[in-house]
Amino acid sequence: MNRKLFLYIAIILLSSCGSVKKHNQQISKVHSPEELHKDVDYAYKKLKKLHPDIYWYISKEELDKKISDLKSKVKKPLTTKEFYSVFAPVITNIKQGHLSVHTPSKKQTKRERKVKGKKKSPFSSLSFYTNGNKLFVKKVFENDSALIPESEVLSVDDEKVSDLLDYFKTLHASDGYNKTFIPEFVGSRFGFFYSNIHQQKDSIQLHLKLKDSLYSTYLYVSYDKMNSSPKEDTTDVVKKKLTKVERKIAKETQKKIRKKNYRYGYNKRTKDYNRNFGFLASDIDTPIGYMQIRSFTNGGYKEFYKESFAKIDSAQCKNLIIDLRGNLGGRLVEIDDLYSYLTDKEYVLIEKSKMTKRLSFLYPYFHTKSWATKTVATIFSPVLGIYQVFKVKNENGEPYFKFRQSKLREPKSNAYKGKVYVLINGESFSASSILSTHLKATKRATFVGEETGGAYNGTVAGIYAKVELPNSRINMRVGLMKINAPYTIEPDGYGIKPDVPIKSTTENEEEEELKWILQDIKTSNKKK
């Protein structure tokens, strides 16, 4: 390494030593209008520099005016959270679902983390869903006998939930003009939005309703003590000494559990699997396959799909249901693998992805608070430079990143040839919408449910840059690549529409969609 590189590393190391106290003071203090105007200008400058199609759904003139109006509106000093309340609604006008804004959290010192553990949100033990403008408890992940699933949450610390939901809907956007994404997204991410606009508290009171009964309970801040848990007290416990055979069996059992958790994508927080497959009980002769995919993230997807389609083939399954409800997306490589089992033709999954500059995809590595990432990126910058020569091509003066999925792809040799049904809703987004676009455009599946939250014609995602505003410390997540499937529809800005529109009225009745599919299979089977 040369002297300049050593100097660069030293600077990074020194700059990374900013105190927790300074950060917490910065986000707690009141910021002057001049400081906040600078933040607005900085945010807009970064968006124009990084976002590949900022004017996709809004004209430049329109957005310029909204930015100008925002600066005119900020005439008095505001805290970070107060500024977020006026800043975020302006960013939603860009109508990009992957473009998100959130407030920074107070940091813990190393000593606090060591003594107490990592601080968790009071909402971390729950999941929610919405029905209309009402919020319901979906699941309770930790033992809390005071909270009952399916309870309606009426208020949080005496704020009406209906008012909170209305407000949260202004703080995030869907892709384009879609109307199904936001109502469901703000429900499932209720804790996230609540934390963005409220000061951090150690306890939050919920007022709830279950049928005709009213009750209240508190949610408390908890701490993840995984790295600081006390040793088990074995004073009065006599441990059974395992035999060699028993140890071998226990070891093999744990190995099987780890393999299954990896293949199915076990989620430690929710204590369920990302992917599931089985055959539904029915009164027809042939089995009906049911594949539920909560997201295209986490775990060994290749093993899962290989195993699942082998079972489908072996069972001579004629009907397959793929459940993408609530699937917010994930990896392109995973939807590519799944689609290769659902088509018998060569295909291109996505078009080449437009960026603003040839090196845009490297921005997150050189603009991060992690000194280690910056150092590694600097060391390997010559290699990264060569990499971008092969991955990024200029076409008509604009740079395009070529994913592996932009090339012609081959279907699997054992690709499924039976009938496919796909369950979708407003939270079917991003990668799940790209997959659905292919299945819809090629008439490969029958869609049941409601319009997807993700747009038919594409989205801006791929790789993300985290932009921190210099004064308020508000964070923006900006997608760097415009990703389109090789199919489009008009008008632009809407999701994949269901062939059979069905909207469940409650979480318990979401099987209405499944009931329709099972009846359709039964009817089709009788006609044969």
Side-chain angles (χ1 to χ4, degrees):
M1 275 188 265
N2 58 36
R3 190 178 299 174
K4 287 184 178 179
L5 184 57
F6 272 119
L7 179 62
Y8 177 75
I9 293 171
I11 292 171
I12 293 174
L13 286 169
L14 290 171
S15 64
S16 68
C17 298
S19 68
V20 171
K21 183 179 179 181
K22 184 179 179 180
H23 169 84
N24 291 341
Q25 286 176 341
Q26 179 74 9
I27 66 174
S28 300
K29 76 172 190 177
V30 175
H31 309 284
S32 69
E34 292 75 21
E35 289 176 322
L36 298 176
H37 291 173
K38 287 180 181 178
D39 274 7
V40 174
D41 290 337
Y42 182 83
Y44 197 19
K45 179 182 176 182
K46 287 293 184 180
L47 283 170
K48 288 186 284 189
K49 179 181 179 180
L50 297 170
H51 198 285
D53 202 348
I54 191 174
Y55 306 117
W56 192 349
Y57 298 115
I58 185 172
S59 69
K60 182 180 184 302
E61 294 73 23
E62 206 177 346
L63 186 54
D64 284 347
K65 185 177 186 309
K66 289 187 180 296
I67 294 293
S68 177
D69 289 346
L70 170 60
K71 291 168 68 176
S72 300
K73 187 176 180 180
V74 178
K75 295 180 179 179
K76 64 178 183 178
L78 299 173
T79 64
T80 291
K81 289 188 180 291
E82 288 171 339
F83 177 57
Y84 167 84
S85 296
V86 294
F87 176 72
V90 173
I91 300 302
T92 63
N93 287 284
I94 298 171
K95 297 181 179 66
Q96 296 283 347
H98 289 90
L99 174 59
S100 62
V101 182
H102 61 90
T103 55
S105 300
K106 285 187 176 181
K107 292 182 179 179
Q108 295 174 272
T109 63
K110 288 183 179 179
R111 179 174 177 78
E112 286 173 333
R113 289 197 301 270
K114 186 176 180 180
V115 174
K116 292 184 176 181
K118 187 177 179 181
K119 194 172 185 179
K120 295 162 64 178
S121 164
F123 293 98
S124 63
S125 63
L126 299 174
S127 67
F128 301 96
Y129 72 93
T130 52
N131 177 24
N133 217 31
K134 294 181 179 181
L135 182 74
F136 296 87
V137 176
K138 185 175 182 179
K139 286 185 180 179
V140 182
F141 303 128
E142 297 174 11
N143 293 328
D144 190 337
S145 57
L147 275 165
I148 306 169
E150 299 304 321
S151 297
E152 180 187 352
V153 186
L154 302 175
S155 63
V156 182
D157 277 350
D158 297 323
E159 289 184 272
K160 286 184 179 180
V161 164
S162 56
D163 293 340
L164 288 170
L165 289 175
D166 284 339
Y167 180 47
F168 293 168
K169 290 171 187 176
T170 68
L171 303 176
H172 200 89
S174 60
D175 279 348
Y177 313 106
N178 171 276
K179 301 296 183 185
T180 61
F181 177 67
I182 288 300
E184 294 191 26
F185 185 72
V186 298
S188 64
R189 297 296 185 274
F190 184 84
F192 167 80
F193 287 105
Y194 187 90
S195 299
N196 268 322
I197 65 170
H198 292 84
Q199 296 298 326
Q200 295 178 46
K201 306 173 187 177
D202 289 332
S203 65
I204 295 170
Q205 187 178 32
L206 302 184
H207 298 282
L208 305 105
K209 177 182 178 182
L210 183 64
K211 296 181 180 178
D212 295 326
S213 300
L214 300 175
Y215 70 100
S216 299
T217 190
Y218 282 90
L219 300 179
Y220 296 95
V221 164
S222 60
Y223 295 87
D224 187 351
K225 297 185 178 182
M226 289 177 65
N227 299 322
S228 57
S229 57
K231 291 183 179 179
E232 185 182 355
D233 183 5
T234 57
T235 307
D236 300 320
V237 178
V238 178
K239 286 189 175 181
K240 180 186 175 183
K241 190 173 181 179
L242 299 178
T243 65
K244 187 176 181 180
V245 174
E246 287 173 330
R247 286 199 302 272
K248 185 178 180 181
I249 292 172
K251 189 176 179 180
E252 287 297 320
T253 301
Q254 286 302 313
K255 187 177 179 181
K256 287 179 181 177
I257 291 172
R258 285 195 300 271
K259 280 187 174 181
K260 181 180 179 182
N261 287 350
Y262 176 69
R263 184 185 301 118
Y264 288 82
Y266 183 70
N267 187 316
K268 290 182 179 179
R269 174 177 171 261
T270 60
K271 296 178 176 60
D272 56 21
Y273 292 103
N274 219 26
R275 304 172 199 84
N276 290 285
F277 176 75
F279 294 103
L280 299 179
S282 68
D283 54 0
I284 65 172
D285 296 335
T286 58
I288 300 171
Y290 175 73
M291 186 179 290
Q292 182 184 43
I293 310 168
R294 291 186 169 93
S295 75
F296 293 109
T297 60
N298 187 24
Y301 64 91
K302 285 189 176 181
E303 292 91 336
F304 172 79
Y305 295 122
K306 183 178 180 180
E307 176 189 87
S308 299
F309 282 97
K311 290 178 180 177
I312 289 169
D313 189 51
S314 178
Q316 297 183 340
C317 176
K318 304 296 184 187
N319 296 280
L320 172 63
I321 302 167
I322 300 176
D323 193 344
L324 298 180
R325 292 173 296 185
N327 186 320
L328 291 171
R331 301 174 289 200
L332 285 173
V333 289
E334 182 167 348
I335 62 168
D336 178 39
D337 195 60
L338 173 53
Y339 187 70
S340 68
Y341 283 101
L342 299 172
T343 183
D344 59 358
K345 298 178 178 64
E346 291 182 332
Y347 64 95
V348 173
L349 188 73
I350 59 170
E351 300 284 4
K352 287 169 288 187
S353 301
K354 180 186 171 186
M355 300 185 300
T356 55
K357 295 182 183 298
R358 293 197 70 173
L359 294 176
S360 288
F361 73 102
L362 295 179
Y363 185 93
Y365 303 104
F366 290 97
H367 296 79
T368 173
K369 288 187 176 181
S370 169
W371 65 267
T373 302
K374 285 182 179 179
T375 302
V376 171
T378 302
I379 293 170
F380 289 99
S381 56
V383 177
L384 293 172
I386 295 170
Y387 177 78
Q388 67 90 23
V389 169
F390 292 98
K391 298 297 290 186
V392 183
K393 301 294 181 183
N394 276 328
E395 295 183 12
N396 299 320
E398 294 183 319
Y400 288 83
F401 187 90
K402 194 168 185 179
F403 283 98
R404 189 175 46 166
Q405 291 75 31
S406 302
K407 299 177 182 178
L408 195 64
R409 315 292 289 164
E410 295 282 343
K412 287 288 192 296
S413 58
N414 64 330
Y416 177 67
K417 295 179 175 60
K419 189 167 184 178
V420 179
Y421 295 87
V422 180
L423 289 163
I424 52 173
N425 68 359
E427 276 198 304
S428 303
F429 189 71
S430 192
S432 71
S433 289
I434 294 172
L435 173 66
S436 295
T437 294
H438 275 271
L439 295 172
K440 182 78 168 180
T442 58
K443 297 181 170 56
R444 181 66 185 92
T446 299
F447 286 82
V448 181
E450 65 174 348
E451 180 187 349
T452 63
Y456 189 110
N457 288 355
T459 189
V460 173
I463 297 174
Y464 301 94
K466 182 181 177 182
V467 176
E468 183 180 74
L469 306 191
N471 297 300
S472 63
R473 302 296 184 192
I474 282 174
N475 291 297
M476 293 193 307
R477 188 184 77 154
V478 184
L480 303 179
M481 298 173 172
K482 186 175 181 181
I483 298 176
N484 300 84
Y487 304 102
T488 58
I489 58 166
E490 292 296 338
D492 191 8
Y494 293 93
I496 292 86
K497 302 287 180 68
D499 300 297
V500 184
I502 299 177
K503 172 62 177 172
S504 298
T505 54
T506 72
E507 188 71 12
N508 281 340
E509 293 177 3
E510 68 176 4
E511 299 311 306
E512 287 178 19
E513 294 94 324
L514 264 179
K515 286 178 182 176
W516 183 92
I517 293 174
L518 294 176
Q519 183 58 48
D520 188 64
I521 292 171
K522 187 176 181 179
T523 302
S524 299
N525 199 53
K526 285 181 179 178
K527 292 178 180 178
K528 293 178 181 178

